[in-house]
Amino acid sequence: MNRNGDAESGISAMLKVRELKKEWSGELTEDVLRKIIEENVRISQTPEAKSNDFRQNDIAYSQRQGFMDIRDLLNCDYGEFNDYNYYLADSLSPDEAVDFYSNRIKNLKNWLETDGKDQFSEKEKSYLIRAYEKMKPPLYYDYQAGWKNLFQYSPSIIMILTLVLGFLCAGIFSGEFQLKANAVFYSSYYGRNKAVWAKVKAGAIIITAIYWAVMLLYTMLVLGILGVDGANCPIQSSMSGWKSIYNITNAQEYILIVLGGYLGCLFMQSLTMLVSAKTNSSVIAVIVPFILIFLPSFYQEQVYHY
């Protein structure tokens, strides 16, 4: 959003946003937070921010773009644990900056004593509190749009990859039965040992090669366009990771996502090949990944509806 309230897009717009956010990169100390609160309150008092004209509101928003990520953290930190008020930061006083980090722990404790008191044992509550206390302030903030996009879309990419790999691996063991060549294949000297292991290895090679090729291409494409900035930022420095109990960086989280996705793909395709071998049907084997991937989502939707 430029200074005139007009929306811009493309690489040039991304570079402008990156430049604005870079102005606030560094440790989120009390002084920095105080400056951000002061600047945010100043903007919220402008005629553009108070106007009922959305274009005027966009002009006010354009002045906040550089510290919007930090403003989101303020909204999360000074409200209730499970509540989010977009306009909460506008009512803060600069003197409240001193409570930024202590509020995070206080909100968790309050929630565990009220709404969350029956969800965890006392031992689990103590563990959650200790995990929060292990986060060492001040947080380091930087522009991190590339990592945010990786976190947002990589689960979908991994899910699609799992389904595609299921199609490729489903016929590895059932092919001989469909071609009526199973009697010859399994009666050969190595048909039931080396040949079977060769099929398993072929499946593992297919999974490994395609998975890592797609994930590396996707990662290079996203980070190549949006930048690698923010790799060493704690995940708590963005709103999506503010409540996380894991004190890791953006880069570490993404490595865990990719490795977890690879292990998930290996397990799913191993199960697909097992079903293919037991049922002698690639159709049934292909259905397995679909059921296992979408059934939890369907179950969760039904529970939520209930």
Side-chain angles (χ1 to χ4, degrees), residues 161-191:
L161 264 175
T162 302
L163 297 177
V164 171
L165 290 172
F167 278 101
L168 297 177
C169 295
I172 289 180
F173 279 95
S174 61
E176 288 78 18
F177 292 91
Q178 294 173 352
L179 297 173
K180 308 300 182 182
N182 55 298
V184 176
F185 182 83
Y186 288 108
S187 63
S188 63
Y189 187 73
Y190 293 113

Side-chain angles (χ1 to χ4, degrees), residues 125-142:
K125 292 177 182 178
S126 298
Y127 172 79
L128 293 174
I129 294 172
R130 287 198 306 271
Y132 263 45
E133 291 173 340
K134 286 181 181 179
M135 189 192 79
K136 297 179 180 179
L139 291 173
Y140 182 82
Y141 170 79
D142 198 357

Side-chain angles (χ1 to χ4, degrees), residues 26 57 62 71 96 115 133 135 142 180 191 208 247-248 262:
N57 296 155
S62 69
R71 184 179 183 276
E96 295 181 84
D115 295 341
E133 291 173 340
M135 189 192 79
D142 198 357
K180 308 300 182 182
T208 301
N247 298 301
I248 57 178
Y262 175 62

Side-chain angles (χ1 to χ4, degrees), residues 223-290:
L223 294 183
I225 295 175
L226 297 177
V228 299
D229 312 68
N232 293 323
C233 287
I235 58 176
Q236 288 84 2
S237 63
S238 65
M239 186 174 66
S240 60
W242 176 245
K243 296 179 183 178
S244 176
I245 63 173
Y246 305 108
N247 298 301
I248 57 178
T249 64
N250 286 327
Q252 290 171 335
E253 180 181 358
Y254 187 62
I255 290 172
L256 290 174
I257 290 174
V258 174
L259 289 177
Y262 175 62
L263 293 176
C265 275
L266 279 178
F267 169 77
M268 196 70 72
Q269 304 324 316
S270 299
L271 185 60
T272 299
M273 288 189 288
L274 178 62
V275 173
S276 175
K278 292 295 183 181
T279 63
N280 303 326
S281 172
S282 58
V283 176
I284 297 177
V286 165
I287 295 175
V288 171
F290 279 92

Side-chain angles (χ1 to χ4, degrees), residues 78-191:
Y78 288 91
E80 296 296 329
F81 186 78
N82 275 338
D83 292 335
Y84 178 81
N85 182 355
Y86 178 83
Y87 299 100
L88 177 61
D90 299 342
S91 62
L92 295 178
S93 166
D95 294 334
E96 295 181 84
V98 68
D99 300 322
F100 181 73
Y101 293 105
S102 60
N103 268 355
R104 182 171 179 266
I105 301 174
K106 184 182 72 175
N107 286 340
L108 173 65
K109 290 180 177 179
N110 290 340
W111 181 75
L112 290 174
E113 292 173 358
T114 54
D115 295 341
K117 64 180 180 179
D118 297 326
Q119 299 183 29
F120 304 96
S121 66
E122 292 302 320
K123 185 177 180 180
E124 290 170 336
K125 292 177 182 178
S126 298
Y127 172 79
L128 293 174
I129 294 172
R130 287 198 306 271
Y132 263 45
E133 291 173 340
K134 286 181 181 179
M135 189 192 79
K136 297 179 180 179
L139 291 173
Y140 182 82
Y141 170 79
D142 198 357
Y143 167 83
Q144 46 194 296
W147 300 99
K148 287 182 179 180
N149 277 268
L150 287 178
F151 296 155
Q152 182 175 0
Y153 297 110
S154 57
S156 298
I157 298 294
I158 292 173
M159 184 183 297
I160 294 172
L161 264 175
T162 302
L163 297 177
V164 171
L165 290 172
F167 278 101
L168 297 177
C169 295
I172 289 180
F173 279 95
S174 61
E176 288 78 18
F177 292 91
Q178 294 173 352
L179 297 173
K180 308 300 182 182
N182 55 298
V184 176
F185 182 83
Y186 288 108
S187 63
S188 63
Y189 187 73
Y190 293 113

